[in-house]
PDB file of all heavy atoms in Angstrom:
ATOM      1  N   PRO A  76    -104.760 -46.190   3.899  1.00 98.00           N
ATOM      2  CA  PRO A  76    -104.446 -47.565   3.505  1.00 98.00           C
ATOM      3  C   PRO A  76    -104.629 -48.524   4.651  1.00 98.00           C
ATOM      4  O   PRO A  76    -104.527 -48.124   5.821  1.00 98.00           O
ATOM      5  CB  PRO A  76    -102.931 -47.498   3.130  1.00 98.00           C
ATOM      6  CG  PRO A  76    -102.535 -46.056   3.190  1.00 98.00           C
ATOM      7  CD  PRO A  76    -103.563 -45.339   4.034  1.00 98.00           C
ATOM      8  N   GLY A  78    -103.970 -52.934   5.666  1.00 98.00           N
ATOM      9  CA  GLY A  78    -103.600 -54.310   5.328  1.00 98.00           C
ATOM     10  C   GLY A  78    -104.526 -55.276   6.041  1.00 98.00           C
ATOM     11  O   GLY A  78    -105.739 -55.246   5.861  1.00 98.00           O
ATOM     12  N   GLY A  79    -103.936 -56.062   6.952  1.00 98.00           N
ATOM     13  CA  GLY A  79    -104.746 -57.036   7.702  1.00 98.00           C
ATOM     14  C   GLY A  79    -105.555 -56.407   8.845  1.00 98.00           C
ATOM     15  O   GLY A  79    -106.371 -57.056   9.444  1.00 98.00           O
ATOM     16  N   GLY A  80    -105.298 -55.099   9.113  1.00 98.00           N
ATOM     17  CA  GLY A  80    -106.048 -54.407  10.173  1.00 98.00           C
ATOM     18  C   GLY A  80    -105.744 -54.914  11.579  1.00 98.00           C
ATOM     19  O   GLY A  80    -106.567 -54.770  12.499  1.00 98.00           O
ATOM     20  N   THR A  81    -104.528 -55.411  11.810  1.00 97.00           N
ATOM     21  CA  THR A  81    -104.182 -55.937  13.153  1.00 97.00           C
ATOM     22  C   THR A  81    -103.415 -54.954  14.012  1.00 97.00           C
ATOM     23  O   THR A  81    -103.084 -55.260  15.138  1.00 97.00           O
ATOM     24  CB  THR A  81    -103.311 -57.222  13.031  1.00 97.00           C
ATOM     25  OG1 THR A  81    -102.063 -56.896  12.457  1.00 97.00           O
ATOM     26  CG2 THR A  81    -103.985 -58.292  12.177  1.00 97.00           C
ATOM     27  N   CYS A  82    -103.109 -53.789  13.470  1.00 96.00           N
ATOM     28  CA  CYS A  82    -102.301 -52.852  14.282  1.00 96.00           C
ATOM     29  C   CYS A  82    -103.153 -52.364  15.448  1.00 96.00           C
ATOM     30  O   CYS A  82    -104.398 -52.342  15.376  1.00 96.00           O
ATOM     31  CB  CYS A  82    -101.756 -51.720  13.429  1.00 96.00           C
ATOM     32  SG  CYS A  82    -103.037 -50.799  12.579  1.00 96.00           S
ATOM     33  N   GLN A  86    -103.851 -47.126  13.853  1.00 95.00           N
ATOM     34  CA  GLN A  86    -103.232 -46.649  12.613  1.00 95.00           C
ATOM     35  C   GLN A  86    -104.150 -46.744  11.406  1.00 95.00           C
ATOM     36  O   GLN A  86    -103.991 -46.006  10.443  1.00 95.00           O
ATOM     37  CB  GLN A  86    -101.969 -47.481  12.286  1.00 95.00           C
ATOM     38  CG  GLN A  86    -100.796 -47.286  13.187  1.00 95.00           C
ATOM     39  CD  GLN A  86    -100.645 -48.444  14.166  1.00 95.00           C
ATOM     40  OE1 GLN A  86    -101.611 -48.857  14.759  1.00 95.00           O
ATOM     41  NE2 GLN A  86     -99.449 -48.965  14.342  1.00 95.00           N
ATOM     42  N   CYS A  87    -105.093 -47.698  11.429  1.00 96.00           N
ATOM     43  CA  CYS A  87    -105.990 -47.873  10.275  1.00 96.00           C
ATOM     44  C   CYS A  87    -107.312 -47.100  10.391  1.00 96.00           C
ATOM     45  O   CYS A  87    -108.134 -47.191   9.477  1.00 96.00           O
ATOM     46  CB  CYS A  87    -106.355 -49.364  10.148  1.00 96.00           C
ATOM     47  SG  CYS A  87    -104.976 -50.383   9.646  1.00 96.00           S
ATOM     48  N   PRO A 138     -94.115 -60.380  12.805  1.00 98.00           N
ATOM     49  CA  PRO A 138     -94.876 -59.942  13.980  1.00 98.00           C
ATOM     50  C   PRO A 138     -95.618 -61.173  14.495  1.00 98.00           C
ATOM     51  O   PRO A 138     -95.835 -62.126  13.740  1.00 98.00           O
ATOM     52  CB  PRO A 138     -95.837 -58.909  13.394  1.00 98.00           C
ATOM     53  CG  PRO A 138     -96.031 -59.346  11.981  1.00 98.00           C
ATOM     54  CD  PRO A 138     -94.746 -60.000  11.528  1.00 98.00           C
ATOM     55  N   THR A 139     -96.033 -61.140  15.737  1.00 97.00           N
ATOM     56  CA  THR A 139     -96.745 -62.342  16.230  1.00 97.00           C
ATOM     57  C   THR A 139     -98.118 -62.506  15.605  1.00 97.00           C
ATOM     58  O   THR A 139     -98.735 -63.549  15.690  1.00 97.00           O
ATOM     59  CB  THR A 139     -96.870 -62.340  17.800  1.00 97.00           C
ATOM     60  OG1 THR A 139     -97.555 -61.153  18.162  1.00 97.00           O
ATOM     61  CG2 THR A 139     -95.497 -62.363  18.435  1.00 97.00           C
ATOM     62  N   THR A 140     -98.570 -61.465  14.903  1.00 97.00           N
ATOM     63  CA  THR A 140     -99.827 -61.513  14.166  1.00 97.00           C
ATOM     64  C   THR A 140     -99.622 -61.954  12.707  1.00 97.00           C
ATOM     65  O   THR A 140    -100.473 -61.701  11.861  1.00 97.00           O
ATOM     66  CB  THR A 140    -100.481 -60.114  14.131  1.00 97.00           C
ATOM     67  OG1 THR A 140     -99.454 -59.164  13.773  1.00 97.00           O
ATOM     68  CG2 THR A 140    -101.094 -59.715  15.446  1.00 97.00           C
ATOM     69  N   SER A 144    -101.366 -60.697   9.217  1.00 98.00           N
ATOM     70  CA  SER A 144    -100.896 -59.391   8.748  1.00 98.00           C
ATOM     71  C   SER A 144    -100.216 -59.456   7.405  1.00 98.00           C
ATOM     72  O   SER A 144     -99.777 -60.497   6.918  1.00 98.00           O
ATOM     73  CB  SER A 144     -99.982 -58.742   9.807  1.00 98.00           C
ATOM     74  OG  SER A 144     -98.864 -59.531  10.037  1.00 98.00           O
ATOM     75  N   THR A 145    -100.176 -58.284   6.771  1.00 98.00           N
ATOM     76  CA  THR A 145     -99.583 -58.130   5.446  1.00 98.00           C
ATOM     77  C   THR A 145     -98.186 -57.540   5.590  1.00 98.00           C
ATOM     78  O   THR A 145     -97.889 -56.892   6.616  1.00 98.00           O
ATOM     79  CB  THR A 145    -100.419 -57.140   4.595  1.00 98.00           C
ATOM     80  OG1 THR A 145    -100.407 -55.849   5.249  1.00 98.00           O
ATOM     81  CG2 THR A 145    -101.859 -57.629   4.424  1.00 98.00           C
ATOM     82  N   GLY A 148     -98.385 -53.694   5.824  1.00 98.00           N
ATOM     83  CA  GLY A 148     -98.908 -53.284   7.130  1.00 98.00           C
ATOM     84  C   GLY A 148     -97.855 -53.422   8.214  1.00 98.00           C
ATOM     85  O   GLY A 148     -97.738 -52.577   9.094  1.00 98.00           O
ATOM     86  N   PHE A 149     -97.060 -54.495   8.150  1.00 98.00           N
ATOM     87  CA  PHE A 149     -96.015 -54.710   9.150  1.00 98.00           C
ATOM     88  C   PHE A 149     -94.971 -53.596   9.057  1.00 98.00           C
ATOM     89  O   PHE A 149     -94.604 -52.993  10.081  1.00 98.00           O
ATOM     90  CB  PHE A 149     -95.351 -56.073   8.930  1.00 98.00           C
ATOM     91  CG  PHE A 149     -94.226 -56.357   9.851  1.00 98.00           C
ATOM     92  CD1 PHE A 149     -94.318 -56.229  11.214  1.00 98.00           C
ATOM     93  CD2 PHE A 149     -92.977 -56.801   9.343  1.00 98.00           C
ATOM     94  CE1 PHE A 149     -93.262 -56.504  12.101  1.00 98.00           C
ATOM     95  CE2 PHE A 149     -91.926 -57.089  10.180  1.00 98.00           C
ATOM     96  CZ  PHE A 149     -92.057 -56.923  11.566  1.00 98.00           C
ATOM     97  N   MET A 151     -95.158 -50.702   7.760  1.00 97.00           N
ATOM     98  CA  MET A 151     -95.723 -49.342   7.957  1.00 97.00           C
ATOM     99  C   MET A 151     -96.289 -49.164   9.354  1.00 97.00           C
ATOM    100  O   MET A 151     -96.348 -48.053   9.863  1.00 97.00           O
ATOM    101  CB  MET A 151     -96.823 -49.083   6.933  1.00 97.00           C
ATOM    102  CG  MET A 151     -96.309 -48.726   5.557  1.00 97.00           C
ATOM    103  SD  MET A 151     -95.658 -47.041   5.595  1.00 97.00           S
ATOM    104  CE  MET A 151     -95.002 -46.886   3.976  1.00 97.00           C
ATOM    105  N   GLY A 153     -95.827 -51.749  12.118  1.00 95.00           N
ATOM    106  CA  GLY A 153     -95.146 -52.501  13.192  1.00 95.00           C
ATOM    107  C   GLY A 153     -93.703 -52.082  13.344  1.00 95.00           C
ATOM    108  O   GLY A 153     -93.280 -51.035  12.861  1.00 95.00           O
ATOM    109  N   PHE A 154     -92.926 -52.938  13.979  1.00 95.00           N
ATOM    110  CA  PHE A 154     -91.500 -52.568  14.200  1.00 95.00           C
ATOM    111  C   PHE A 154     -90.567 -53.811  14.269  1.00 95.00           C
ATOM    112  O   PHE A 154     -89.385 -53.738  13.961  1.00 95.00           O
ATOM    113  CB  PHE A 154     -91.367 -51.761  15.499  1.00 95.00           C
ATOM    114  CG  PHE A 154     -91.632 -52.583  16.715  1.00 95.00           C
ATOM    115  CD1 PHE A 154     -90.594 -53.128  17.464  1.00 95.00           C
ATOM    116  CD2 PHE A 154     -92.934 -52.841  17.105  1.00 95.00           C
ATOM    117  CE1 PHE A 154     -90.854 -53.929  18.562  1.00 95.00           C
ATOM    118  CE2 PHE A 154     -93.199 -53.671  18.195  1.00 95.00           C
ATOM    119  CZ  PHE A 154     -92.151 -54.198  18.921  1.00 95.00           C
ATOM    120  N   GLY A 155     -91.051 -54.945  14.739  1.00 96.00           N
ATOM    121  CA  GLY A 155     -90.179 -56.113  14.914  1.00 96.00           C
ATOM    122  C   GLY A 155     -90.983 -57.266  15.476  1.00 96.00           C
ATOM    123  O   GLY A 155     -92.202 -57.229  15.462  1.00 96.00           O
ATOM    124  N   TYR A 199     -97.027 -45.283   9.223  1.00 96.00           N
ATOM    125  CA  TYR A 199     -98.475 -45.413   9.278  1.00 96.00           C
ATOM    126  C   TYR A 199     -99.185 -45.086   7.945  1.00 96.00           C
ATOM    127  O   TYR A 199    -100.326 -44.628   7.946  1.00 96.00           O
ATOM    128  CB  TYR A 199     -99.067 -44.469  10.350  1.00 96.00           C
ATOM    129  CG  TYR A 199     -98.709 -44.768  11.794  1.00 96.00           C
ATOM    130  CD1 TYR A 199     -97.854 -45.816  12.140  1.00 96.00           C
ATOM    131  CD2 TYR A 199     -99.243 -44.004  12.833  1.00 96.00           C
ATOM    132  CE1 TYR A 199     -97.538 -46.080  13.472  1.00 96.00           C
ATOM    133  CE2 TYR A 199     -98.931 -44.272  14.169  1.00 96.00           C
ATOM    134  CZ  TYR A 199     -98.075 -45.291  14.474  1.00 96.00           C
ATOM    135  OH  TYR A 199     -97.750 -45.536  15.797  1.00 96.00           O
ATOM    136  N   GLY A 200     -98.496 -45.272   6.815  1.00 97.00           N
ATOM    137  CA  GLY A 200     -99.160 -44.988   5.538  1.00 97.00           C
ATOM    138  C   GLY A 200     -99.504 -43.535   5.386  1.00 97.00           C
ATOM    139  O   GLY A 200    -100.453 -43.174   4.673  1.00 97.00           O
ATOM    140  N   GLY A 203     -97.104 -42.121   1.610  1.00 98.00           N
ATOM    141  CA  GLY A 203     -97.092 -42.800   0.305  1.00 98.00           C
ATOM    142  C   GLY A 203     -97.751 -44.157   0.438  1.00 98.00           C
ATOM    143  O   GLY A 203     -97.827 -44.695   1.537  1.00 98.00           O
ATOM    144  N   ILE A 205     -97.496 -48.056  -0.527  1.00 98.00           N
ATOM    145  CA  ILE A 205     -96.565 -49.069  -1.004  1.00 98.00           C
ATOM    146  C   ILE A 205     -97.250 -49.961  -2.008  1.00 98.00           C
ATOM    147  O   ILE A 205     -98.365 -50.447  -1.781  1.00 98.00           O
ATOM    148  CB  ILE A 205     -96.070 -49.975   0.160  1.00 98.00           C
ATOM    149  CG1 ILE A 205     -95.398 -49.151   1.237  1.00 98.00           C
ATOM    150  CG2 ILE A 205     -95.129 -51.043  -0.363  1.00 98.00           C
ATOM    151  CD1 ILE A 205     -94.931 -50.000   2.421  1.00 98.00           C
ATOM    152  N   PHE A 315     -94.484 -60.901  22.411  1.00 95.00           N
ATOM    153  CA  PHE A 315     -94.741 -59.554  21.878  1.00 95.00           C
ATOM    154  C   PHE A 315     -96.174 -59.134  22.235  1.00 95.00           C
ATOM    155  O   PHE A 315     -96.559 -59.272  23.403  1.00 95.00           O
ATOM    156  CB  PHE A 315     -94.417 -59.471  20.388  1.00 95.00           C
ATOM    157  CG  PHE A 315     -92.900 -59.350  20.193  1.00 95.00           C
ATOM    158  CD1 PHE A 315     -92.099 -60.465  20.081  1.00 95.00           C
ATOM    159  CD2 PHE A 315     -92.291 -58.088  20.186  1.00 95.00           C
ATOM    160  CE1 PHE A 315     -90.736 -60.352  19.912  1.00 95.00           C
ATOM    161  CE2 PHE A 315     -90.909 -57.970  20.092  1.00 95.00           C
ATOM    162  CZ  PHE A 315     -90.151 -59.098  19.952  1.00 95.00           C
ATOM    163  N   GLY A 316     -96.976 -58.686  21.247  1.00 92.00           N
ATOM    164  CA  GLY A 316     -98.313 -58.226  21.610  1.00 92.00           C
ATOM    165  C   GLY A 316     -99.250 -59.321  22.102  1.00 92.00           C
ATOM    166  O   GLY A 316    -100.320 -59.027  22.666  1.00 92.00           O
ATOM    167  N   HIS A 317     -98.902 -60.584  21.862  1.00 96.00           N
ATOM    168  CA  HIS A 317     -99.846 -61.663  22.088  1.00 96.00           C
ATOM    169  C   HIS A 317    -100.020 -62.064  23.540  1.00 96.00           C
ATOM    170  O   HIS A 317    -101.088 -62.565  23.929  1.00 96.00           O
ATOM    171  CB  HIS A 317     -99.479 -62.864  21.245  1.00 96.00           C
ATOM    172  CG  HIS A 317    -100.283 -62.918  19.981  1.00 96.00           C
ATOM    173  ND1 HIS A 317     -99.958 -62.199  18.852  1.00 96.00           N
ATOM    174  CD2 HIS A 317    -101.409 -63.588  19.672  1.00 96.00           C
ATOM    175  CE1 HIS A 317    -100.845 -62.417  17.905  1.00 96.00           C
ATOM    176  NE2 HIS A 317    -101.744 -63.272  18.383  1.00 96.00           N
ATOM    177  N   LEU A 320    -103.055 -60.716  25.134  1.00 94.00           N
ATOM    178  CA  LEU A 320    -104.362 -61.170  24.676  1.00 94.00           C
ATOM    179  C   LEU A 320    -104.906 -62.272  25.591  1.00 94.00           C
ATOM    180  O   LEU A 320    -106.084 -62.319  25.905  1.00 94.00           O
ATOM    181  CB  LEU A 320    -104.290 -61.715  23.243  1.00 94.00           C
ATOM    182  CG  LEU A 320    -104.176 -60.723  22.095  1.00 94.00           C
ATOM    183  CD1 LEU A 320    -104.404 -61.459  20.774  1.00 94.00           C
ATOM    184  CD2 LEU A 320    -105.188 -59.604  22.230  1.00 94.00           C
TER     185      LEU A 320
HETATM  186  C1  FAD B 501    -102.008 -59.164  19.643  1.00 51.76           C
HETATM  187  C2  FAD B 501    -101.113 -58.321  18.782  1.00 51.76           C
HETATM  188  C3  FAD B 501     -99.787 -58.668  18.619  1.00 51.76           C
HETATM  189  C4  FAD B 501     -98.939 -57.892  17.860  1.00 51.76           C
HETATM  190  N1  FAD B 501     -97.606 -58.236  17.733  1.00 51.76           N
HETATM  191  C5  FAD B 501     -96.789 -57.470  16.996  1.00 51.76           C
HETATM  192  C6  FAD B 501     -95.403 -57.801  16.870  1.00 51.76           C
HETATM  193  O1  FAD B 501     -94.930 -58.866  17.322  1.00 51.76           O
HETATM  194  N2  FAD B 501     -94.617 -56.960  16.181  1.00 51.76           N
HETATM  195  C7  FAD B 501     -95.087 -55.838  15.571  1.00 51.76           C
HETATM  196  O2  FAD B 501     -94.321 -55.104  14.972  1.00 51.76           O
HETATM  197  N3  FAD B 501     -96.407 -55.511  15.650  1.00 51.76           N
HETATM  198  C8  FAD B 501     -97.252 -56.318  16.315  1.00 51.76           C
HETATM  199  N4  FAD B 501     -98.583 -55.986  16.379  1.00 51.76           N
HETATM  200  C9  FAD B 501     -99.106 -54.894  15.562  1.00 51.76           C
HETATM  201  C10 FAD B 501     -99.558 -55.414  14.138  1.00 51.76           C
HETATM  202  O3  FAD B 501    -100.312 -56.612  14.273  1.00 51.76           O
HETATM  203  C11 FAD B 501     -98.384 -55.710  13.211  1.00 51.76           C
HETATM  204  O4  FAD B 501     -97.515 -54.605  13.120  1.00 51.76           O
HETATM  205  C12 FAD B 501     -98.854 -56.152  11.815  1.00 51.76           C
HETATM  206  O5  FAD B 501     -97.737 -56.589  11.087  1.00 51.76           O
HETATM  207  C13 FAD B 501     -99.571 -55.100  11.028  1.00 51.76           C
HETATM  208  O6  FAD B 501     -99.888 -55.627   9.773  1.00 51.76           O
HETATM  209  P1  FAD B 501    -101.332 -55.435   9.135  1.00 51.76           P
HETATM  210  O7  FAD B 501    -101.335 -56.007   7.764  1.00 51.76           O
HETATM  211  O8  FAD B 501    -102.396 -55.916  10.027  1.00 51.76           O
HETATM  212  O9  FAD B 501    -101.327 -53.869   9.032  1.00 51.76           O
HETATM  213  P2  FAD B 501    -102.550 -52.861   9.255  1.00 51.76           P
HETATM  214  O10 FAD B 501    -102.931 -52.896  10.665  1.00 51.76           O
HETATM  215  O11 FAD B 501    -103.613 -53.116   8.257  1.00 51.76           O
HETATM  216  O12 FAD B 501    -101.831 -51.493   8.876  1.00 51.76           O
HETATM  217  C14 FAD B 501    -100.727 -50.975   9.605  1.00 51.76           C
HETATM  218  C15 FAD B 501    -100.329 -49.616   9.018  1.00 51.76           C
HETATM  219  O13 FAD B 501     -99.832 -49.801   7.708  1.00 51.76           O
HETATM  220  C16 FAD B 501    -100.444 -48.903   6.813  1.00 51.76           C
HETATM  221  N5  FAD B 501    -100.493 -49.577   5.507  1.00 51.76           N
HETATM  222  C17 FAD B 501    -101.046 -50.796   5.221  1.00 51.76           C
HETATM  223  N6  FAD B 501    -100.852 -51.045   3.896  1.00 51.76           N
HETATM  224  C18 FAD B 501    -100.195 -50.002   3.394  1.00 51.76           C
HETATM  225  C19 FAD B 501     -99.698 -49.679   2.071  1.00 51.76           C
HETATM  226  N7  FAD B 501     -99.859 -50.518   1.024  1.00 51.76           N
HETATM  227  N8  FAD B 501     -99.060 -48.519   1.886  1.00 51.76           N
HETATM  228  C20 FAD B 501     -98.886 -47.657   2.925  1.00 51.76           C
HETATM  229  N9  FAD B 501     -99.320 -47.909   4.171  1.00 51.76           N
HETATM  230  C21 FAD B 501     -99.963 -49.083   4.395  1.00 51.76           C
HETATM  231  C22 FAD B 501    -101.812 -48.635   7.417  1.00 51.76           C
HETATM  232  O14 FAD B 501    -102.339 -47.371   7.023  1.00 51.76           O
HETATM  233  C23 FAD B 501    -101.468 -48.629   8.897  1.00 51.76           C
HETATM  234  O15 FAD B 501    -101.029 -47.336   9.284  1.00 51.76           O
HETATM  235  C24 FAD B 501     -99.441 -56.756  17.179  1.00 51.76           C
HETATM  236  C25 FAD B 501    -100.794 -56.389  17.336  1.00 51.76           C
HETATM  237  C26 FAD B 501    -101.614 -57.212  18.111  1.00 51.76           C
HETATM  238  C27 FAD B 501    -103.055 -56.783  18.235  1.00 51.76           C
END
Side-chain angles (χ1 to χ4, degrees):
T81 66
C82 56
Q86 290 103 312
C87 290
T139 58
T140 48
S144 63
T145 62
F149 176 52
M151 281 286 175
F154 69 98
Y199 293 3
I205 301 179
F315 281 90
H317 262 81
L320 284 191

